[in-house]
Amino acid sequence: MGNPCHFALFDLQPSFRLDLDQLAARYRELARQVHPDRFADAGEREQRLALERSACLNEAYQILKTPSQRARYLLAMRGPELPLEVTVQDPDFLLQQMQLREELEELQDDADLAGVAAFKRRLKTAQEALNERFAACWDDDARREEAERLMRRMQFLDKLSHEVRQLEERLDD
Amino acid sequence: MGCLGSLPDDFKKTMALLQIAEPGQSPQPHQRRLAVGIDLGTTNSLVAAVRSGLAEPLADDDGKVILPSAVRYHATSIEVGESAKSAAATDPFNTVLSVKRLMGRGIADVHQLGEQLPYRFVAGESHMPFIETVQGAKSPVEVSAEILKALRLRAEQTLGGELVGAVITVPAYFDDAQRQATKDAARLAGLTVLRLLNEPTAAAVAYGLDQKAEGVVAIYDLGGGTFDISILRLTGGVFEVLATGGDSALGGDDFDHAIADWIIQQAGISSDLDPATQRSLLQAACAAKEALTEADTAELSHGDWRAVLSREQFEALIEPMVARSLKACRRAVRDSGVELEEVSAVVMVGGSTRVPRVREAVGELFGRAPLTNIDPDQVVAIGAAIQADALAGNQRDDGEELLLLDVIPLSLGLETMGGLMEKVIPRNTTIPVARAQEFTTYKDGQTAMMIHVLQGERELIADCRSLARFELRGIPPMVAGAAKIRVTFQVDADGLLSVAARELSSGIESSIQVKPSYGLTDGEIARMLQDSFQNAGDDKAARVLREQQVDAQRLIEAVEGALEVDGERLLDAEEREVIELQVQELRELLAGGDGLAIERQTKRLSQVTDAFAARRLDSTVKAALAGRNLNEIEE
């Protein structure tokens, strides 16, 4: 990454469990210091620097506040660079994913808004459970493989919730 | 591009050198930090400023704060505002209304907006549609610049000084091309843009500071031609946009068109109307719409035809548009990640939110009565003025420092194989932002790659807006898939994009400040800048002339002062004669009004005194090195 660690930027110890309110408060504090608006008067070089620092801060905040991105970042900090796309060896989970997607298609065909809402609640519960499992194992080198698998699962569920959003939009038409 | 009033650097250098012995001869007048906020609206525009701690709109000589966004071209002059607007029906070809709808658009987009536009369009050097007027072809950027100029003039007169700069508001949903066009217009109007600010964010600032509000707030902004919805979190002076959405071609104008279409249908008029009839129908429609805010019915007439339009009928006519706006609201709430119940206030912005049905529908959606206590026409300009004041470096009275964290409204990406758009930065990402993505070559020995930058939410590039294309050349030949090309997108605090591409193994680099496909070419901007100075009677031209005269006068004084002190010592007779001749020539030109000739001669004089100035510097340096000052040498 080249840049100082995202956690250090926010005065935090690397950890999966984060107080998001505290993170947000610290973000606002830092943003005040580096935002280009503070340098509207300054020279071109300083403006350029403010723009870059601000962009870095926003990127770090984005990564830390999103569980799947935070998980990925933590694993990358501790081990080898993680490829973005890999063949996932996780048959049970993939089967479950296919079933969930089929379910989603049915909800679309029936334009079942209440069903979508219930689906979203289930998805959220599943995401929270995954987060808990990841939090328990990410910093144990002996369980690295498990942690990586859980992180990939998080990414899958992120994609699924994105699809739910798109479905909601289509049903809104 | 010409010098446009500002003198070349070599002149400034010469001035500095000539003035070594005469410090304080050209004292820079101390400037007050005057900055304004400008709401450049589809129908109406306003300028506001913070005066003695209070942000308020600035009025014209008649006490009116609203300037209708109407520009009428006469053969030798330009009219802006109310009088121009009232000529719309009688002089439709030379009177431009709602020009904001054309900003950053291509001819094809303009045709899609509807055939109601009465203008005669002509193609320019760029893809931008030009409007044929009695003064020649005018781009939407130039028309907008006239409105901005009028407001700048009003501000300078009211505030009594030149402006440091302005914050200009744009719809949050404006794309890159529309933003760039707005910035170009400001440049033409002689304004320094401190920031382009999203209209709903500006409104949130005005509302938040006024009400000392905290928590999640929704800003519903329905103007004359654009619609925005923004969801913000307000925390101790920080205005954080969580999500924004909207439609940059939906507004109160569409309500007028709906009524006009209804008249055409009811009265059985042929829809193939001449421009003057079109304009008068729209004026009647607009009047009826406004009347229906208070009254239950409005009377309409066209020639011998007469009818009554009830509020109920009107509401049925606009229902599809209201529904479109509500859909955008639901999407923005979903994108923001907050629940509808968490929204603690809904603020109405824009003149079109006066329509009772709009208020009712928004209230139903959010489950609370929308707030209308700040004038919906003024709130955007007031918020912009507050930010302009802060950006100009003036302290706020309450000591609270503002921080505005905004987002991009539409995803940015690149064309990939198969005509698909790959997103690099998704919509609602906080700006400034920089993000890189790596691509590779798809053919063996490929040495160039086309980078096609797109904006939009759809997968097919045909459904997205093309922002720019450029080529990365000089990639070393390799097998397909071996080259690593990193494309970096950077969006600044104005929401404007720049893109750079770099081949990682060779370091070959190519980058552009994205010039939107529907923007003006550099050549067009240069011509417009020149036109705006040549325009007789134009205030800017007069100011430029004054500056040229002042600069010339200053140079003459500096040269004569230097000649008196060091002429004997540092110049031979011939050199001195050349300089004195040029001084004489410039002095003769000074009385006349030919700014270009003055500028040219100023430059010439500055050139012939260059060597003299350098010699003076040398002798100063020598004196300083010897530990003595200039006066001692002269003694």
Side-chain angles (χ1 to χ4, degrees), chain A residues 150-166:
Chain A
L150 291 172
M151 186 272 289
R152 305 262 174 228
R153 287 185 178 186
M154 288 182 195
Q155 289 178 333
F156 263 104
L157 293 191
D158 274 0
K159 264 187 211 155
L160 190 60
S161 62
H162 182 69
E163 276 164 41
V164 175
R165 280 249 289 281
Q166 284 181 322

Side-chain angles (χ1 to χ4, degrees), chain A residues 35-37 51, chain B residues 179 195-197 406 431-432 491-496:
Chain A
H35 196 276
D37 279 1
L51 174 62
Chain B
R179 283 168 201 271
R195 186 70 74 231
L196 293 180
L197 176 61
D406 226 309
I431 52 173
V491 182
D492 67 16
D494 289 328
L496 291 171

Side-chain angles (χ1 to χ4, degrees), chain B residues 17-176:
Chain B
L17 296 182
L18 283 167
Q19 285 179 336
I20 292 166
E22 294 91 7
Q25 207 190 31
S26 78
Q28 286 291 331
H30 177 64
Q31 285 203 330
R32 283 165 54 205
R33 313 286 295 165
L34 298 178
V36 294
I38 294 179
D39 175 2
L40 182 61
T42 307
T43 324
N44 294 313
S45 296
L46 288 94
V47 59
V50 174
R51 288 197 287 174
S52 20
L54 197 72
E56 55 184 11
L58 306 178
D60 66 9
D61 294 340
D62 300 328
K64 287 192 184 129
V65 296
I66 285 176
L67 179 75
S69 303
V71 178
R72 182 182 183 193
Y73 289 92
H74 298 275
T76 56
S77 65
I78 297 170
E79 203 179 339
V80 179
E82 197 61 54
S83 59
K85 185 182 168 187
S86 55
T90 50
D91 189 14
F93 291 132
N94 298 309
T95 309
V96 187
L97 302 181
S98 299
V99 69
K100 189 174 179 178
R101 301 195 101 164
L102 307 178
M103 292 287 272
R105 300 283 183 175
I107 291 219
D109 300 313
V110 170
H111 289 315
Q112 254 181 9
L113 280 176
E115 302 87 49
Q116 305 106 332
L117 296 166
Y119 317 118
R120 291 178 290 211
F121 287 111
V122 288
E125 196 180 308
S126 58
H127 297 284
M128 198 176 258
F130 282 65
I131 299 160
E132 188 64 54
T133 73
V134 66
Q135 262 190 39
K138 296 289 171 188
S139 78
V141 171
E142 285 168 286
V143 179
S144 298
E146 293 303 334
I147 300 165
L148 289 172
K149 256 186 231 171
L151 293 174
R152 192 199 75 203
L153 210 66
R154 180 194 292 185
E156 285 176 349
Q157 277 166 2
T158 314
L159 302 173
E162 290 206 6
L163 303 179
V164 176
V167 167
I168 299 177
T169 61
V170 289
Y173 218 60
F174 253 20
D175 64 26
D176 198 78

Side-chain angles (χ1 to χ4, degrees), chain A residues 27-28 31-32 35-38 40-41 48 51 54-55 58-59 61-62 165 168-169 172-173, chain B residues 33 195 235-236 238 240 327 330-331 334-335 387 391 401 403-404 427 430-432 434-435 490 492:
Chain A
Y27 165 69
R28 288 191 287 265
R32 257 191 213 287
H35 196 276
D37 279 1
R38 275 200 61 165
D41 244 7
R48 168 115 240 115
L51 174 62
S54 234
N58 285 336
E59 191 67 13
Y61 181 49
Q62 175 64 35
R165 280 249 289 281
E168 282 184 301
E169 229 155 87
D172 204 356
D173 274 333
Chain B
R33 313 286 295 165
R195 186 70 74 231
T235 329
V238 181
E240 187 180 0
K327 197 183 150 194
R330 285 190 292 267
R331 185 166 95 153
R334 276 196 299 272
D335 281 356
Q387 205 212 5
L391 289 178
E401 221 180 305
L403 179 63
L404 276 45
R427 71 167 188 253
T430 305
I431 52 173
R435 215 163 271 181
Q490 186 179 64
D492 67 16

Side-chain angles (χ1 to χ4, degrees), chain B residues 138 143 211 254 325 353 379 432 483 509 511 575 577:
Chain B
K138 296 289 171 188
V143 179
Q211 307 284 311
D254 297 298
S325 80
T353 59
V379 61
E509 195 155 354
S511 69
E575 285 169 334
E577 198 181 327

Side-chain angles (χ1 to χ4, degrees), chain A:
Chain A
M1 304 252 140
N3 299 315
C5 160
H6 293 342
F7 287 96
L9 183 62
F10 284 84
D11 270 341
L12 293 166
Q13 289 300 317
S15 163
F16 184 73
R17 289 186 215 274
L18 281 188
D19 179 342
L20 289 181
D21 289 338
Q22 194 193 332
L23 183 76
R26 182 83 185 116
Y27 165 69
R28 288 191 287 265
E29 220 172 281
L30 291 168
R32 257 191 213 287
Q33 291 165 26
V34 297
H35 196 276
D37 279 1
R38 275 200 61 165
F39 301 88
D41 244 7
E44 210 172 304
R45 212 185 93 84
E46 276 168 283
Q47 290 198 359
R48 168 115 240 115
L49 224 63
L51 174 62
E52 281 166 16
R53 284 209 190 131
S54 234
C56 281
L57 174 68
N58 285 336
E59 191 67 13
Y61 181 49
Q62 175 64 35
I63 288 172
L64 293 192
K65 76 174 177 185
T66 316
S68 64
Q69 292 183 32
R70 184 164 75 238
R72 194 189 158 77
Y73 184 73
L74 281 168
L75 291 178
M77 272 175 77
R78 288 178 69 85
E81 181 83 21
L82 295 155
L84 258 179
E85 281 166 32
V86 290
T87 320
V88 178
Q89 307 285 346
D90 197 351
D92 292 347
F93 181 74
L94 290 181
L95 187 67
Q96 195 196 347
Q97 285 296 301
M98 275 167 59
Q99 285 165 347
L100 284 170
R101 283 195 158 70
E102 275 167 25
E103 215 178 299
L104 209 53
E105 272 170 39
E106 273 170 38
L107 289 172
Q108 171 167 3
D109 293 343
D110 303 344
D112 180 356
L113 286 171
V116 173
F119 189 94
K120 270 168 73 179
R121 281 194 296 275
R122 264 166 60 210
L123 185 57
K124 202 173 171 208
T125 312
Q127 285 176 313
E128 280 162 5
L130 257 184
N131 291 351
E132 280 308 307
R133 284 179 65 189
F134 184 85
C137 73
W138 73 273
D139 54 353
D140 183 347
D141 284 339
R143 296 170 74 186
R144 168 94 188 175
E145 206 176 310
E146 183 187 352
E148 279 187 28
R149 191 167 59 238
L150 291 172
M151 186 272 289
R152 305 262 174 228
R153 287 185 178 186
M154 288 182 195
Q155 289 178 333
F156 263 104
L157 293 191
D158 274 0
K159 264 187 211 155
L160 190 60
S161 62
H162 182 69
E163 276 164 41
V164 175
R165 280 249 289 281
Q166 284 181 322
L167 170 61
E168 282 184 301
E169 229 155 87
R170 282 196 295 274
L171 291 181
D172 204 356
D173 274 333

Side-chain angles (χ1 to χ4, degrees), chain B residues 519-538:
Chain B
L520 295 167
T521 65
D522 284 340
E524 281 169 344
I525 291 188
R527 177 188 61 73
M528 289 170 193
L529 278 168
Q530 241 142 36
D531 282 358
S532 74
F533 291 118
Q534 278 160 11
N535 212 334
D538 186 43

